[in-house]
């Protein structure tokens, strides 16, 4: 850019000299007159003024950009701090624990950390996908038909993956619970399986509220049919390690 400006200044200087020469009608044999000196000085002054104006505009533009970037970063930091305070409140209310909070924020607000993108306090469509997954879990728990073991296995797996996306756990990993494939802690036990959906619904509703997305998510409880199918699934695991799952 500096090279382009320099060439422009030279062109301004040359144009001023040529204009002066043409205006005053100097012939080649006339020599270099006093008026020509003033013309040369005028051309130099014009070039210097143009360069100074460009430098001032460039400095102002850089200052404006730096100010905008600083404001953008401050918006991100303030929003992230508010997010963490919000998560603290959810933990206290629901007796759960969030982990890798920055990853959760990135999932909900994927554009905010990049200063080249527009900042937004409205959450990503990923949250709507979580809501849809939760509604499917809640609907299965309300089924009037007793689910078979494979159906319950998928239900437990879907709950586990959704809680992973939402980056929270409601059961200490060392406590007794269903361990899919013998190693993956599901967060669901014989004692808490009827409460996991109400808790998840409250957590999801709070996250959605922070992101200004969707209505409140709520569990409708479990039917006696689902309860019977779930307990049969756990019994099969404890007695026969059904499909290599474990409980403990």
């Amino acid at each position: 850019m500096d090279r382009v400006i320099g060439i422009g200044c030279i062109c301004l200087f040359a144009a001023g000299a040529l204009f002066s020469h043409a205006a005053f009608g100097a012939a080649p044999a006339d020599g270099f007159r006093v008026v020509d000196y003033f013309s040369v000085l005028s051309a130099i002054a014009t070039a210097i003024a143009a360069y100074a104006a460009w430098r001032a505009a460039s400095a102002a533009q850089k200052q404006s950009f730096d100010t905008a970037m600083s404001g953008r970063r401050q918006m991100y930091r303030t929003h992230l701090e508010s997010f963490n305070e919000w998560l603290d409140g959810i933990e206290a209310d629901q007796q759960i624990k969030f982990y890798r909070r920055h990853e959760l924020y990135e999932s909900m607000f994927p554009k905010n950390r990049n200063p080249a993108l527009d900042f937004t306090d409205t959450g990503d469509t990923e949250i709507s996908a979580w809501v849809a997954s939760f509604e499917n879990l809640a609907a299965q728990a309300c089924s009037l038909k007793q689910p078979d073991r494979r159906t319950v296995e998928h239900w437990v797996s879907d709950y586990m993956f959704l809680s992973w996306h939402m980056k929270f756990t409601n059961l200490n990993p060392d406590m007794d619970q269903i361990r899919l494939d013998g190693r993956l802690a599901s967060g669901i036990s014989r004692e808490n399986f009827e409460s996991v959906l109400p808790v998840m619904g409250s957590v999801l509703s709070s996250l959605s509220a922070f992101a200004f997305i969707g209505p409140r998510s709520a569990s409708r409880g479990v039917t006696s049919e689902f309860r019977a199918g779930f307990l049969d699934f756990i019994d099969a695991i404890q007695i026969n390690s059904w499909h290599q799952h474990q409980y403990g």
Side-chain angles (χ1 to χ4, degrees), residues 191-238:
E191 290 75 22
N192 79 347
F193 78 94
E194 294 191 50
S195 65
V196 291
L197 287 186
V199 171
M200 176 175 275
S202 295
V203 172
L204 184 53
S205 293
S206 295
L207 293 177
S208 299
F210 185 85
F212 302 106
I213 287 184
R216 181 176 178 82
S217 300
S219 169
R220 298 179 293 277
V222 301
T223 61
S224 57
E225 290 83 2
F226 182 85
R227 184 182 298 107
F230 183 86
L231 294 176
D232 174 70
F233 174 69
I234 284 190
D235 289 341
I237 292 176
Q238 289 185 300

Side-chain angles (χ1 to χ4, degrees), residues 6-7 15-17 33 43 71 80 108 121 128 131-132 155 158 162 180 185 211 230 232 237:
I7 293 174
R33 299 174 302 177
L80 182 59
M108 295 176 62
D121 54 7
S128 297
V131 172
W155 185 86
D158 289 344
L162 182 54
L180 297 179
F230 183 86
D232 174 70
I237 292 176

Side-chain angles (χ1 to χ4, degrees), residues 86-99 101 104 159 163 166-172 195-196 198-200 202-204 206-207:
W86 194 273
L87 297 189
D88 290 340
I90 298 175
E91 287 183 340
D93 290 342
Q94 301 300 325
Q95 300 301 304
I96 64 163
K97 186 68 177 177
F98 286 104
Y99 56 92
R101 293 184 173 201
L104 177 59
Y159 171 87
S163 66
M166 295 167 61
K167 299 291 186 291
F168 84 93
T169 178
N170 65 338
L171 195 61
N172 189 304
S195 65
V196 291
V199 171
M200 176 175 275
S202 295
V203 172
L204 184 53
S206 295
L207 293 177

Side-chain angles (χ1 to χ4, degrees), residues 116-164:
L117 302 177
D118 292 334
F119 180 90
T120 178
D121 54 7
T122 301
D124 191 68
T125 54
E126 175 75 4
I127 303 171
S128 297
W130 297 348
V131 172
S133 296
F134 174 81
E135 293 297 333
N136 183 53
L137 289 171
Q140 291 183 60
C142 289
S143 174
L144 297 177
K145 178 183 177 181
Q146 180 171 328
D148 57 24
R149 293 172 185 173
R150 179 68 69 183
T151 300
V152 177
E153 178 187 47
H154 289 166
W155 185 86
V156 172
S157 176
D158 289 344
Y159 171 87
M160 179 183 68
F161 283 118
L162 182 54
S163 66
W164 286 358

Side-chain angles (χ1 to χ4, degrees), residues 62-77 113-117:
K62 183 178 184 304
Q63 183 178 9
S64 177
F65 177 78
D66 290 344
T67 301
M69 289 292 290
S70 177
R72 177 68 170 75
R73 293 191 183 97
Q74 183 60 40
M75 289 175 64
Y76 168 72
R77 286 194 294 267
R113 192 168 64 89
N114 187 347
L117 302 177

